[in-house]
Amino acid sequence: MNKIDYATIIGLFGSFTLITAAVLIGGSMSSFFNLPAVLIVLGGTYLVTTISFSMSEVMRAQKLIGLTLFGRSVQPNYAAYAMLELAEQCRGKGVLHLQQHMQALEEDSFQRKSLQLVVDGLPADEVNRILQNDLNGMVARHNSSSGVLRKAAEVAPAMGLIGTLVGLVQMLSNLNDPTTIGPAMAVALLTTFYGAVLANMFFSPLATKLERNSSNEVLLNRVFMLGAASIGRQENPRRLEMLLNTLLPPSNRVQYFT
């Protein structure tokens, strides 16, 4: 289950609102829009970024940009309590008791897959190996997507500089025609402005948020991994509690049996 990440929404829309307000207070909004500058910076940043990655990686990063507006509603300590409760029930009723809880879980969730492997009777070591491989693949995909955004944050100011040079060349080559100086200067200045805004207010912050969300999801999935392996071994849930607390930060450690 996902919930809206208000920090991302407030940060993005708030920062762009402040820039817009400053523009409107100082003059006209139309003076800060220039189609050639938009084409150079937006189009150029997108196309140059695709050179460093495959199209599938770029498309996946675009999809994850939207998902940064949502965060996992399940905190790792709540997941730890849930796994401890399941472990305690399975200790008395057997592993097949997990089947009663499978329908309530999301179809493609890591938790459901980890518990399904235990229900299927796979050895705990095999469960750990399979889940670790899945976790490694997830981390690699997330790193690739954040890398796309990091690269775009590098390229956007460079495209702004290229646009500035284009505008200056156009201006200097037509000094005999005063009517061309204004539009050329607009391209020169606005491309630098667009590049700085995109890099520092959009791409770089979103890359940081993706990395943060990935770290949180890795921790959450490690809780599921540890719980599933412990249930598969039919270990004492008290031991599972101690193991889970080695994963969780001090402020979020669980006290299920105390």
Side-chain angles (χ1 to χ4, degrees):
M1 180 179 179
N2 293 329
K3 65 179 181 180
I4 297 176
D5 185 351
Y6 289 104
T8 302
I9 294 177
I10 292 173
L12 279 177
F13 287 94
S15 59
F16 279 98
T17 299
L18 289 177
I19 295 294
T20 302
V23 169
L24 292 176
I25 291 173
S28 171
M29 192 69 189
S30 61
S31 62
F32 278 79
F33 177 79
N34 183 274
L35 184 57
V38 171
L39 293 176
I40 291 172
V41 177
L42 286 181
T45 298
Y46 181 85
L47 293 175
V48 172
T49 301
T50 60
I51 297 174
S52 301
F53 301 90
S54 67
M55 284 305 300
S56 61
E57 290 174 317
V58 174
M59 297 299 292
R60 184 167 59 243
Q62 291 176 347
K63 180 179 179 181
L64 286 179
I65 288 175
L67 294 179
T68 54
L69 299 178
F70 300 89
R72 293 296 298 269
S73 61
V74 179
Q75 297 299 317
N77 55 328
Y78 294 150
Y81 278 116
M83 296 305 289
L84 284 168
E85 184 177 359
L86 289 176
E88 191 175 24
Q89 294 175 7
C90 293
R91 187 79 188 279
K93 300 178 182 179
V95 172
L96 294 180
H97 176 71
L98 291 173
Q99 291 179 329
Q100 301 179 15
H101 301 272
M102 301 297 289
Q103 295 300 323
L105 302 176
E106 296 178 20
E107 184 68 30
D108 59 346
S109 70
F110 194 90
Q111 183 184 17
R112 178 166 182 167
K113 180 172 183 177
S114 63
L115 295 178
Q116 186 64 59
L117 292 173
V118 175
V119 172
D120 291 343
L122 273 68
D125 292 341
E126 185 72 7
V127 171
N128 255 338
R129 186 182 65 81
I130 293 173
L131 295 178
Q132 186 61 55
N133 288 339
D134 279 1
L135 192 59
N136 292 341
M138 183 200 75
V139 171
R141 292 191 298 273
H142 288 180
N143 288 342
S144 172
S145 296
S146 63
V148 171
L149 294 180
R150 291 286 182 199
K151 188 63 178 179
E154 295 176 8
V155 171
M159 295 307 302
L161 177 59
I162 291 173
T164 298
L165 296 176
V166 169
L168 291 177
V169 169
Q170 291 175 342
M171 182 186 70
L172 294 175
S173 62
N174 293 282
L175 288 178
N176 58 337
D177 185 0
T179 61
T180 64
I181 295 177
M185 281 297 297
V187 173
L189 296 177
L190 287 177
T191 50
T192 301
F193 174 72
Y194 291 161
V197 168
L198 280 177
N200 296 289
M201 295 176 60
F202 189 75
F203 291 126
S204 186
L206 285 180
T208 301
K209 178 54 70 77
L210 280 180
E211 292 165 355
R212 177 186 176 277
N213 289 348
S214 178
S215 297
N216 289 343
E217 190 167 357
V218 167
L219 177 57
L220 180 66
N221 289 344
R222 287 196 183 280
V223 169
F224 293 141
M225 281 178 57
L226 197 58
S230 179
I231 293 172
R233 295 190 185 99
Q234 288 287 284
E235 293 177 343
N236 190 323
R238 292 181 181 273
R239 182 176 185 275
L240 174 59
E241 182 183 33
M242 290 188 293
L243 293 175
L244 289 173
N245 281 333
T246 64
L247 290 177
L248 299 172
S251 59
N252 287 330
R253 288 176 180 169
V254 297
Q255 296 180 343
Y256 186 83
F257 293 103
T258 56

